[in-house]
Each structure stands twice: as structure tokens, then as C-alpha cells.
Amino acid sequence: MPSSEASTYDIRKSVWDGIPIDQWEPSKWKQWKPKQPASDENAKMEREYLRIKHAIGQANSALSLDRIKVKLKLTSPKTIALQGTFPCRPGDVGKHGSPNKQYTISCGFVANDAGVKMAVLKARELDLLLMTKQFQWTPDLLGKQAHNLGALDKNKPEQLISELIQEYEREFWKTHEKNRQGIRTWETHYMRHLKKLPQDVPLSAQSLAAALEKTKANTSGRFFLVWQLKKFCEFCGIDDFKTIYAYMTPKPHPTIRKIPSDEEIIQGFIKMGMPLSAYASKENLTQPEQWQWAYGMLATYGLRPHELFAVDIVAFTHTLNTFHLVTLNPSLTEGTKTGERSCGIPPLHPHWIELFDLKNIRLPYNEGTLSNKTAKLHIKFRTSDIGFRPYDLRHAYALRGHRLRVPIKTMADYMGHTVQEHTKTYQRWMNEDTNLEIYKEVVIHRQGTTKEALKERISELEAENTALKAENATLKGLLIKHQLGEFLSQ
């Protein structure tokens, strides 16, 4: 075959017996074009390609048995690369800000038996470095990128922190949807911490220390700042975290909340309906009955405050909605925190629908942004001296489901959680008083009622047994008469 034809021939486009070569079982490489003449160089190359592919599959199986996470990959008919999850390259960032990312590393191994053996040894070497946390991106592993980074570093002036943050944000939006939820994530989990850095100086140990000094030790602010600065430094290609680690603090335990009882929730509803001050502004005013309706919805359905404005009112008030389920329309609020629920949200106290008159829709005044609407709700709770916050109604809904013995998976669906998140978030609010209340309700109260019910049931069964005996005696008498009649008629 002419050399020009060999250089342009693409093995991966080969087809035999109607099957493309990359869909052929590599272990059956000898059966690929078996009757082709020995002079057919293409068939030889194709069988060799399948043979090496089979050898790589066997090598990867052996690596998996040894729990080696770096694997071999045939990137072309002539080259073997290594594939695995590694720390991000300088200037790179993983999905959702992860410090690790999957890479295919070309080490120049030729696709033959010797290349397979050398690639296996390199895979084991890299896996050991990953296990011992000694892995580093060397110029050999970076390949062409090492030369590009070197050229950039020589010509590029030192960037200010504000410029690095802008690049970091652009990278963030590559993996996040730019909606209300995404914007909130950037502002609360990223920018909230990064703005503590001095913006008009290059990134250095001094600038990191200046930001860390603004937080107190053993606080959640310090914990999450350390976490975010570490991610930011990894993005900027800095792998020396001594300054950050010097300020590291353990994650503090959350304070125990006082979850309102059902009686306290009803009292809060009454407080929400107190008349407005005579000096209150008559413009853009939310009336007491509107605040009460909002309060009642949060209490009855365990909604997040912003989800109040995502309620599908038409579906809620429909005559066919006999179970009074609430469904959310995320498009009304540009998405909800955890997306759409997989089911309608039921009231765990159905009588609250009537008590709070929830089918009589009275949405609060809803001009302004969603953040402004929810902020006004928080302010109203404070000024009305309710004694707890809007989110505490959600926690009460979760514990109410626990007291009613609703399965955890079902409650997680109602609240838009995974089971793990639901358990982690809400079990910690169950303080000693709450646990005692559940014990009284589930064990003591039900035990007492069970004894009374058992006595009544025994009496019912005794009466039923007496009636059955009488009926049985009657039927026996009728049977004897019937048999006697048949005997006399013979």
C-alpha cells in the first residue's frame, strides 16, 4: 500500500460484517476479517488495533482488582494515554468548584505490547502519588500546556485580586445556570467571602491574612472563609496553603433552635392580624389579613419563605384539589432552592386550611424583587413580636411529620430534600423538649388510648361471638329439620 494512503487511512471507520470496528468485541480480534489475504495491510492494522484494545481492557481489569484508579485509554490507533481524576491543573477548576477533575494525560506511550506495560507502570506510579497526596503537575504531565503557561507567566503582569475574582466568576458561570438560584449561590457562597480580600493588590500571603483577620476563630464565618479562599487559591494556581491553614478552625456546631409548638403557631397567627398603626403608610401597604394568609401557608405547608410566591394558586383553589395539595411553579420565582417537588405538598394539619382560611387567597403586596418580598416577611415577623422566624415554621412542619410518623423519604419529598439532607438538617433541631413531646405523644398517649380501645374491642368481639353462636345454633336446627324432611319423604 502506498505510504500516502497509509498516512490518511482511518482504522476507526472500518466496518466488518455490518459492525463498526469500535463496536466489535476486542477479545474476538482474530475473527475480524479472518479470510482477508495476508497482503491486506489494512486488515492487519485493524486486527492489531483490536488486539491492543483487548490488551488494554485486560490491563484495566487488573488495575481495578488492585484498586488502582488511574486507567489506560487508547486515544488513537497509535498512542496510549492515562485517564483518571487528578487535582486541577494550574488555572483550571473542577465541576461545581471542585478541586479535582478528570483528565486524559498523554505520556507518549506507543500502542504496542511494550507501550501497554510502560503505561501500566506509570498508572501505578501516579495512583501512589495521589494516595500519598504527593501528586504534582510536572512539565512532562502538562505537555504543551506547560510551555503555554511558561510563556504566559513571563509576559503577563501580576493581576490584581479584583481581576482574579472576575476570572473566577466567569469560570463559575461555565458550570452554573445564571438564574436566581445561581446568582444567590455566587453571592452567598463565593462573593460574600471573597470581598473580604483587599481588591486592589496582587494575591499574596499578606492579602490572605488580612481577609482571615476579619473573622473570629471558631466561627462559621472563619470556617467558610478558609474553605472559599482555598478554592480561590487553587483556581489561581497557588498550592501553598500555609497561611490559610494557620487560620483554620473546626466547623462550629449550630445552636439549637426553639421550634414553636402548634399552640404557639396559632397564637402567632393571631398576632399577625393585629391592626396596623394609625401612622402606617397608606401606599404600597400589606394588610394584616394578607400577612395572616402568608403566615398560614408557611405554617401549614412548611414552605421556604420565597416559595410562598411560587405557589400555583389556580391549582390550589381548584375544586378537584380535595386533598388541598400545594404545587409550586418555579418559573414564578426563577427557580426554587431545590427545583420542583416530585409531588404535591399536603397539609399535615388539614383543619388549619379552614382555621387560617387559606382558600381565601390574599397574597401579600408583591411589588419589588423576590429578595425584597421575603425580607419584608422577615421584618413583619420581628415587628409583630412573633417570637420565632419564618423558617422556624418550616422546621415545625418537619417535626410535625416526624410526630405523625410520616416516613422520612415521604417527608423529604414533601420538603424538596434528599433523604440525607432532610435527616442532617432537621434531626439536629430535635432538642430535649421536642424529643420528650414526641415520646409523650407517640408512646404514652397512644399507649393509653390503645388500652381503652382494646377493652372496647374485646367487648365488641365478645358480643359478636355470642351472636355468632346463636346464629350457628339456628342454622343447625334448620339443617336438622331439612334432613328430617328429606328422610320422611323417601
Side-chain angles (χ1 to χ4, degrees), residues 338 408-409 412-413 415-424:
T338 52
I408 290 178
K409 174 64 171 68
D413 289 341
M415 304 192 72
H417 288 157
T418 62
V419 173
Q420 293 81 1
E421 181 183 5
H422 181 79
T423 304
K424 177 183 176 183

Side-chain angles (χ1 to χ4, degrees), residues 184-321:
R184 180 175 175 83
T185 299
W186 169 256
E187 290 178 348
T188 57
H189 296 291
Y190 289 76
M191 198 60 202
R192 174 186 175 185
H193 305 292
L194 295 176
K195 66 183 181 182
K196 291 183 172 68
L197 289 165
Q199 303 293 301
D200 55 352
V201 298
L203 187 60
S204 62
Q206 290 75 17
S207 59
L208 293 172
L212 291 162
E213 288 288 350
K214 295 179 181 178
T215 59
K216 294 181 180 179
N218 298 318
T219 61
S220 59
R222 170 70 64 80
F223 175 83
F224 287 109
L225 178 61
V226 166
W227 170 76
Q228 185 53 247
L229 289 182
K230 185 174 180 293
K231 289 178 61 176
F232 181 59
C233 288
E234 288 172 345
F235 169 79
C236 297
I238 298 173
D239 56 4
D240 186 0
F241 304 122
K242 290 180 181 178
T243 301
I244 298 175
Y245 288 156
Y247 288 85
M248 184 173 285
T249 187
K251 186 176 182 179
H253 295 291
T255 55
I256 299 299
R257 293 195 185 199
K258 175 67 171 67
I259 306 303
S261 64
D262 290 349
E263 293 75 15
E264 290 171 329
I265 291 173
I266 294 172
Q267 290 300 316
F269 179 82
I270 296 171
K271 289 183 180 180
M272 274 286 189
M274 297 297 289
L276 294 169
S277 167
Y279 302 102
S281 170
K282 301 298 186 248
E283 296 179 358
N284 302 337
L285 198 60
T286 300
Q287 299 299 324
E289 58 271 18
Q290 291 175 298
W291 287 125
Q292 282 187 313
W293 184 84
Y295 178 98
M297 291 295 289
L298 296 179
T300 306
Y301 292 98
L303 302 174
R304 300 180 181 94
H306 79 272
E307 289 176 340
L308 177 68
F309 304 96
V311 172
D312 190 333
I313 300 297
V314 175
F316 179 58
T317 56
H318 200 282
T319 54
L320 296 178
N321 186 17

Side-chain angles (χ1 to χ4, degrees), residues 36-95:
Q36 298 299 107
S39 59
D40 190 341
E41 295 295 329
N42 286 355
K44 286 183 179 180
M45 292 169 59
E46 292 160 8
R47 280 195 291 270
E48 180 65 10
Y49 171 73
L50 287 170
R51 189 183 72 82
I52 293 299
K53 198 172 182 180
H54 177 53
I56 288 175
Q58 290 182 312
N60 284 335
S61 298
L63 290 172
S64 295
L65 289 174
D66 290 341
R67 298 184 180 181
I68 305 297
K69 296 181 179 180
V70 182
K71 299 294 188 293
L72 279 59
K73 182 179 179 181
L74 192 62
T75 53
S76 79
K78 297 182 179 180
T79 57
I80 300 172
L82 300 178
Q83 189 175 63
T85 300
F86 300 91
C88 291
R89 287 171 175 166
D92 204 354
V93 65
K95 189 175 182 181

Side-chain angles (χ1 to χ4, degrees), residues 120-239:
V120 168
L121 292 174
K122 190 66 175 179
R124 291 180 179 277
E125 177 189 337
L126 293 181
D127 186 75
L128 180 61
L129 291 173
L130 289 171
M131 287 180 61
T132 56
K133 297 184 178 181
Q134 298 179 29
F135 177 86
Q136 291 184 351
W137 285 104
T138 62
D140 291 339
L141 297 176
L142 288 170
K144 293 181 180 179
Q145 188 187 12
H147 301 292
N148 295 335
L149 289 174
L152 286 173
D153 289 341
K154 292 177 182 177
N155 302 323
K156 187 176 179 181
E158 206 165 8
Q159 288 180 288
L160 301 178
I161 290 176
S162 58
E163 296 171 341
L164 291 171
I165 291 176
Q166 289 175 4
E167 292 183 7
Y168 192 35
E169 183 178 6
R170 284 194 289 271
E171 194 67 30
F172 172 84
W173 290 121
K174 290 179 182 179
T175 55
H176 292 75
E177 189 176 350
K178 203 164 189 177
N179 55 16
R180 187 195 64 81
Q181 182 181 344
I183 293 171
R184 180 175 175 83
T185 299
W186 169 256
E187 290 178 348
T188 57
H189 296 291
Y190 289 76
M191 198 60 202
R192 174 186 175 185
H193 305 292
L194 295 176
K195 66 183 181 182
K196 291 183 172 68
L197 289 165
Q199 303 293 301
D200 55 352
V201 298
L203 187 60
S204 62
Q206 290 75 17
S207 59
L208 293 172
L212 291 162
E213 288 288 350
K214 295 179 181 178
T215 59
K216 294 181 180 179
N218 298 318
T219 61
S220 59
R222 170 70 64 80
F223 175 83
F224 287 109
L225 178 61
V226 166
W227 170 76
Q228 185 53 247
L229 289 182
K230 185 174 180 293
K231 289 178 61 176
F232 181 59
C233 288
E234 288 172 345
F235 169 79
C236 297
I238 298 173
D239 56 4

Side-chain angles (χ1 to χ4, degrees), residues 399 402-403 427 429-446:
L399 296 184
H402 187 84
R403 284 197 292 268
Q427 291 299 313
W429 302 130
M430 295 180 64
N431 56 19
E432 186 175 336
D433 293 337
T434 305
N435 286 325
L436 181 59
E437 184 181 348
I438 291 174
Y439 174 75
K440 287 178 181 178
E441 183 170 341
V442 174
V443 180
I444 304 298
H445 177 67
R446 293 195 180 186

Side-chain angles (χ1 to χ4, degrees), residues 269 289-297 300-301 316-317 324 349-363:
F269 179 82
E289 58 271 18
Q290 291 175 298
W291 287 125
Q292 282 187 313
W293 184 84
Y295 178 98
M297 291 295 289
T300 306
Y301 292 98
F316 179 58
T317 56
H324 313 298
H349 282 339
H351 64 279
W352 280 7
I353 303 291
E354 185 177 350
L355 178 65
F356 298 148
D357 195 17
L358 298 182
K359 288 301 179 83
N360 180 15
I361 308 301
R362 291 152 296 167
L363 269 170

